[in-house]
Amino acid sequence: MPSISSLLLSALAVAAPIFAVDTPVNATLNKEIKTAPTELSKLDLVRDDYAFDFTQSEKYSYSPGGVVNANAATFPASTGHGMTVAWLALGPCAMLPPHFHPRADNFVVAVEGNTTTYMVQENGAKIVTSNLTPGKLTIFPQGSVHSMQNNGCTNATLISALNSDDTGTTNLLNALYQLPGDIVDAAFGTNSTSNGGSVPDVGTGAAVGSAECRARCGL
Ligand SMILES: *[C@@H]1O[C@H](CO)[C@@H](O)[C@H](O)[C@H]1NC(C)=O
Ligand SMILES: *[C@@H]1O[C@H](CO)[C@@H](O)[C@H](O)[C@H]1NC(C)=O
Ligand SMILES: *[C@@H]1O[C@H](CO)[C@@H](O)[C@H](O)[C@H]1NC(C)=O
Ligand SMILES: *[C@@H]1O[C@H](CO)[C@@H](O)[C@H](O)[C@H]1NC(C)=O
């Protein structure tokens, strides 16, 4: 009989992909804005939809957390403006698993909490670690692998600015475990095939953090 946790994981694997990527809220509008002859005609197309409410997104969550993007897909008014703003909501000990953005540099500023960030730019680069407390900013260059964890037992909130309205996000482990298990095993030099099934789905973009933090915070 499957264990409760494996049932939960398979339920997550089925349920979570709904949130995994930003589906255009109005693809027709994106297309019309991209082919509009002038800025003024874009005004008519966008009409009153010039405000984006992060708190109304299904990904807005502090348990464990979530990443809410205001980008071309979720906020058509931003189409063609070459940037995304993201609200990073991290509940106690929540983390963003290692990922990179294929099409954007990423500047992140903390407004609440104490979040440790990790970044590796490419093979041979040293790891860059920053503690982001309110008012502190760090940079994840385009394509760099980065991860962060809220170390605190209270919420952390950070705001990201990225220089594309369609940044893309690639979660490393989720991408890796799409490869055949024997290829992953050979690449890692370990027998990791059996671990692939327990990599959490991308979901809201955030995940439960380290055992050390959770024990410290009594979670
Ligand atoms: C999507 O955009 C098109 C083109 O501007 C508009 O006609 C339509 O009403 C919009 N649909 C929704 C659901 O807002
Ligand atoms: C933030 O967390 C780091 C890592 O746990 C710690 O070294 C640092 O002192 C904390 N900063 C503040 C202001 O609490
Ligand atoms: C975190 O923020 C959410 C949303 O504002 C709130 O419901 C929750 O109580 C907060 N949690 C903590 C631990 O402060
Ligand atoms: C790898 O682990 C799985 C699951 O524990 C096991 O069935 C398999 O025999 C192992 N393969 C090797 C090459 O050790």
Side-chain angles (χ1 to χ4, degrees):
M1 206 179 123
S3 68
I4 302 255
S5 64
S6 72
L7 280 175
L8 266 176
L9 275 170
S10 35
L12 272 177
V14 172
I18 299 165
F19 302 119
V21 293
D22 293 324
T23 311
V25 292
N26 190 337
T28 308
L29 185 50
N30 290 129
K31 283 180 201 156
E32 288 182 358
I33 292 173
K34 281 186 176 171
T35 55
T38 64
E39 277 301 315
L40 277 182
S41 48
K42 289 185 194 171
L43 269 180
D44 293 334
L45 287 169
V46 176
R47 292 186 292 267
D48 293 330
D49 297 328
Y50 270 98
F52 182 83
D53 188 344
F54 290 96
T55 67
Q56 293 307 304
S57 167
E58 62 198 354
K59 294 179 189 159
Y60 180 84
S61 168
Y62 284 84
S63 51
V67 176
V68 184
N69 291 314
N71 58 17
T74 62
F75 182 41
S78 72
T79 306
H81 287 286
M83 72 179 291
T84 292
V85 174
W87 182 296
L88 313 184
L90 295 174
C93 300
M95 73 169 327
L96 301 189
H99 65 277
F100 65 89
H101 303 289
R103 293 180 292 277
D105 298 299
N106 184 357
F107 285 39
V108 181
V109 61
V111 296
E112 178 185 29
N114 183 354
T115 301
T116 304
T117 69
Y118 307 92
M119 186 268 287
V120 178
Q121 224 173 325
E122 61 186 89
N123 292 346
K126 65 171 186 172
I127 184 164
V128 175
T129 304
S130 306
N131 286 313
L132 298 186
T133 47
K136 286 195 181 168
L137 174 139
T138 193
I139 296 173
F140 306 127
Q142 181 170 359
S144 64
V145 173
H146 53 278
S147 184
M148 62 180 77
Q149 178 171 273
N150 172 9
N151 297 309
C153 306
T154 59
N155 284 340
T157 301
L158 306 98
I159 304 295
S160 259
L162 303 104
N163 56 357
S164 164
D165 65 12
D166 181 20
T167 68
T169 298
T170 307
N171 280 32
L172 280 189
L173 291 182
N174 303 78
L176 259 177
Y177 280 104
Q178 286 181 37
L179 305 179
D182 57 341
I183 296 297
V184 177
D185 284 350
F188 284 180
T190 57
N191 183 358
S192 55
T193 307
S194 51
N195 296 336
S198 57
V199 176
D201 199 88
V202 175
T204 59
V208 171
S210 71
E212 180 280 324
C213 185
R214 283 181 286 132
R216 182 161 40 79
C217 294
L219 298 173

Short mmCIF file of all heavy atoms in Angstrom, two decimals, residues 26 28-29 32 45 47, ligand 1:
data_model
loop_
_atom_site.label_atom_id
_atom_site.label_comp_id
_atom_site.label_asym_id
_atom_site.label_seq_id
_atom_site.Cartn_x
_atom_site.Cartn_y
_atom_site.Cartn_z
N ASN A 26 -5.01 36.81 -21.34
CA ASN A 26 -5.72 37.18 -22.56
C ASN A 26 -4.70 37.26 -23.71
O ASN A 26 -4.15 38.32 -24.01
CB ASN A 26 -6.44 38.53 -22.37
CG ASN A 26 -7.37 38.83 -23.53
OD1 ASN A 26 -7.19 38.31 -24.64
ND2 ASN A 26 -8.36 39.69 -23.30
N THR A 28 -5.13 37.06 -26.86
CA THR A 28 -5.57 37.93 -27.97
C THR A 28 -5.09 39.36 -27.72
O THR A 28 -4.59 40.04 -28.64
CB THR A 28 -7.12 37.92 -28.06
OG1 THR A 28 -7.55 36.57 -28.10
CG2 THR A 28 -7.62 38.68 -29.27
N LEU A 29 -5.25 39.79 -26.48
CA LEU A 29 -4.83 41.15 -26.13
C LEU A 29 -3.31 41.30 -26.28
O LEU A 29 -2.83 42.32 -26.81
CB LEU A 29 -5.29 41.46 -24.69
CG LEU A 29 -5.05 42.87 -24.16
CD1 LEU A 29 -5.55 43.93 -25.14
CD2 LEU A 29 -5.75 43.03 -22.82
N GLU A 32 -2.67 41.71 -29.94
CA GLU A 32 -3.11 43.02 -30.45
C GLU A 32 -2.16 44.13 -30.00
O GLU A 32 -1.85 45.05 -30.77
CB GLU A 32 -4.54 43.31 -29.98
CG GLU A 32 -5.56 42.43 -30.71
CD GLU A 32 -7.00 42.72 -30.30
OE1 GLU A 32 -7.23 43.58 -29.43
OE2 GLU A 32 -7.90 42.07 -30.87
N LEU A 45 -6.55 49.67 -26.33
CA LEU A 45 -6.64 48.21 -26.19
C LEU A 45 -6.66 47.80 -24.72
O LEU A 45 -7.44 46.93 -24.31
CB LEU A 45 -5.43 47.55 -26.88
CG LEU A 45 -5.44 47.53 -28.40
CD1 LEU A 45 -4.09 47.09 -28.93
CD2 LEU A 45 -6.53 46.60 -28.91
N ARG A 47 -7.44 49.59 -22.13
CA ARG A 47 -8.59 50.19 -21.43
C ARG A 47 -8.24 50.46 -19.96
O ARG A 47 -7.25 51.09 -19.67
CB ARG A 47 -9.84 49.34 -21.61
CG ARG A 47 -10.36 49.34 -23.05
CD ARG A 47 -11.69 48.61 -23.15
NE ARG A 47 -11.55 47.18 -22.90
CZ ARG A 47 -11.35 46.28 -23.86
NH1 ARG A 47 -11.31 46.64 -25.12
NH2 ARG A 47 -11.23 45.01 -23.55
C1 LIG B 1 -9.30 39.97 -24.42
O1 LIG B 1 -8.84 40.98 -25.25
C2 LIG B 1 -9.68 41.18 -26.37
C3 LIG B 1 -8.95 42.15 -27.30
O2 LIG B 1 -8.72 43.39 -26.69
C4 LIG B 1 -11.03 41.70 -25.90
O3 LIG B 1 -11.88 41.90 -27.00
C5 LIG B 1 -11.64 40.66 -24.96
O4 LIG B 1 -12.82 41.17 -24.38
C6 LIG B 1 -10.66 40.33 -23.85
N1 LIG B 1 -11.16 39.20 -23.10
C7 LIG B 1 -11.30 39.24 -21.79
C8 LIG B 1 -11.83 37.98 -21.17
O5 LIG B 1 -11.02 40.21 -21.11
#
